[in-house]
Structures are given as C-alpha cells and as structure tokens.
Amino acid sequence: MYLSKLFIPITKDLPAEAKIKSHQLMLRTGMIKQSSAGIYSWLPLGFKVMKKIEQIVREEQNAVGAQEMLMPTIQSSEIWKESGRYEDYGEEMLRIKDRQGREMLYGPTNEELITDIFRSSVKSYKSLPQILYHIQWKFRDEIRPRFGVMRCKEFFMKDAYSFDLSDEEAKKSYNKMFYSYLKTFNRIGLKAIPMSADTGPIGGDLSHEFIILAETGESKIYADKNIFEINLNQYEFNDTSLKKMREDFTKIYAVTDEKYKEEEFNQKVKKENQMFTKGIEVGHIFYFSDKYSKPMNCLIDDKDGKKTSVKMGSYGIGVSRLVGAIIEANYNNDVMKWPRNISPFDIVILPSISKNNRKNFEKAEKIYKELKKQNIDVLLDDVDENMSNKFKKHDLIGVPYQIIVGSKSEEDNFEFKELNSKSEILTLDKIIKKIKN
Ligand code: P5A
C-alpha cells in the first residue's frame, strides 16, 4: 500500500476529553473516529489492528477446543425475563421496540441467548462438555464512556460459554479458559495478571479478571511481584496440569481494590514484594454454575437418567479495548511500536524524496515490489515531505520496521531500522529474513 492512497486521516486537533495516550494516538493516526459519545467507527488502520488481535484470540480459543459461532446483536427481552436479569440490568441495557411493539434489546452479553440455544438442542450428558464462543459487538449504555475504546458504549467482545455436567467438570473448562487467556495475552506481548474479582451483574462466586499493567488503568491493583515469575510453558494441556497452573497463579496474592484489605496484604506479601499499581482489565471469566440454567430450565439427563441443570461459565475478552490497552503498554517517549504480529503493516519504506531527484523513490518502488512478492505487507511512504516529519509521523503510526532509502542506502545495501533502536545497513535478503523470522 502507498501511504498517499491509504485512508488515514491524521489529525492534529484533539478533543479535550482525549486524556490518555491511546485515545489521543488512535484519533491522531486516524485509527478511529467518534460517531457519537462512546460510539466509534473503525477506520482502515485501526480496523486492521483489531482484526489481527481478533484472529489471535480466535486461534487460542480454538486451540483449547472452543467452537466458534455467531449470535445476533439484537435479542428478545423474553429470555432476559426468564433469567430475571431484564430488570436487574438497569439503564445500562439499551432497550428497543420493533414495529410490532415487541421488546428487544441490544445485547450487552449473551448468557441468556446461549442458554436458550443450548436447552433446545442438548439433552444428554453424552454431548458434554461443550465450549461455544463468538466475537461480536456488544452495547452497554455506560453512564460515563471515556478513554476512547477503553470504556465505550459499543465494543467488540469475544465471549465464550461452557457447559458441563457437574461443578467439578465445569472447573476443568474454567481452567482451560484461564490457560487460553494467558496464552492469548502472551502472544500479543502483554503481561496479564489474573486476579480474583467480584462478579457484578454476571453472577457466580468464582471469577478472575485479567489485568495488564498501565498507569492509566481504571483498576487499582495490589499484588505480589512473584506473579510475574510463573512460566506458562511448564504446564501441559491436561486437566491435572491446568489445575496446578490455576493453583500456582491463585496462590500468589493479587487483587483489585474491590477485594483489597490492607491487613491481609501485609500479612501475605513480604514488604519487598508488594506491588501497588494500576491496570486495564482486558478479560474476565466467571463460573456461575446453574445461575441461568436453573431459572431457564436448561436441563440434561445425567448418567442415571436424572434431569439436572447444566453447569455454566462465561468468559470475555475485550477485543476492541485491547487495541487501546496495547498502545498504553507499548507507547514510550512519543514512539508507538506495535508488536509485530498485530502491527498494521510488517514494514514501511521511507524514501528521501525531492522534486528533482526521483532516484530514491524509484529504488523504494523496486524494494516495494520485491517485498510484495515475498508476501510481506509493506507500506511505502510516497508523500512529499521532509524526512524529519516522516520519522515523526511513523513514530506514531508504529510500524516496527523501516527501510530508509536515502544517503546511507547504496546499491544493494539498505538502511534498516527497528523503532527505538539504531539503524544498520543490510541487504534486502537479510531484511526479508529478519521480518519473516
Ligand atoms: C463474560 C463474557 C462479561 O460480559 N459475559 C460474557 C461476561 N464480562 S465483562 O467483564 O462484563 O466483559 C468482558 C470484557 O469486555 C470488555 N469490556 C469493555 N470494553 C470496552 N468498553 C466497555 N464498556 C466494556 N465493558 C467490558 C472488558 O475487557 C471485559 O473484561
């Protein structure tokens, strides 16, 4: 893609409410555009990044045996009345009427709808366990939408739902998701801490939030630093090992302020290991047993032919929130550097262009064609402006690798630079190898 052809409306004027880096950067680089309070359009650059994150989330869900499906955004109020949440959910739920006057709503979450699907199709324990998920827009009429995509009204969520015969079996599903979440966040270069948490309107008595550290986060965190020492690779994908994994993580003190008690913190964590910081909740998992299946009559036959309510959990990742969270975690000294697997482009070519000298530009086009042939997603900055402005612009767009075609690039050797590092002179072959590795 040539930069001049890319729809990337870079803006300099920021609205006053854009207080945190991710919100400012996403507006400045034209990743998103606000359509009304808490509601955004995703423009090509932002959309590309979000789709890459979505794909990683999907791969890690599939890897633990979850199956993808798609439920609608609009739901009937009937099932919410059955579960008892129609009233409880309050003003955060966007309620709509269709032309027949039927009460509908824009789904803030899908526990009821998936329970309804499940009860009409699964009757026997033999079909269990099951984990189903979808990646779909949600709507919550947040009273104070803020921080751009971090807390908005319409947002993109991966939500999964597990179905098991017993509480014991259900905990195994919970552990699988726990593992899948840690793997997902690792893959996008984030250190996420699982923290025991309150369950709020979703319910149940077992729940963990996954929080990444960031000064601008809304959650206050009290934790033992040793939580970062646990290496996920030591666990195998079987029930025993995953049980041990969750125990290892939950043994170490880590809570948000809802559960924080000063005395307990001082008792359980040595002074030198105490960490108090802020973070962003990027995922949240819940085990609520028969909270929905009981009132909604989602019954299955157990081994003795006795009817029992299916045991359920639900598991969410804020896919659109992650875009902002990754920026918060990776933005440093006015430079944004995307992790390479979610960067909007693999590499950018920056030729030093002037009106009377087209040589660099021609060279850049040759490199561009060669990289394209190698299936590398490359951006060529063909805009006629000085190099220092170009560098500033690309420090914000955040593509991690650059080929600078200027005085230092000669014949088959090119100046190659990784953001936040010194440049080096390499052949195109070596550059291609580096990017593909
Ligand atoms: C779990 C899946 C649930 O809704 N039901 C289905 C459960 N959990 S949750 O914690 O309420 O949300 C899951 C994740 O979605 C993101 N999120 C948001 N992102 C942007 N704007 C919002 N207003 C918003 N609300 C929730 C968070 O990442 C959260 O962990």
Side-chain angles (χ1 to χ4, degrees), residues 108-111 140 142 149-152 155 157-161 202 281-284 286 314-318 320-321:
T109 176
N110 283 59
E111 281 78 8
R140 293 181 185 173
E142 297 277 349
V149 301
M150 299 285 214
R151 180 163 298 281
C152 41
F155 60 98
M157 191 206 284
K158 185 287 302 178
D159 40 327
Y161 303 87
I202 306 293
E281 179 203 313
V282 287
H284 200 161
F286 302 82
S314 76
Y315 314 87
I317 290 183
S320 49
R321 177 180 286 186

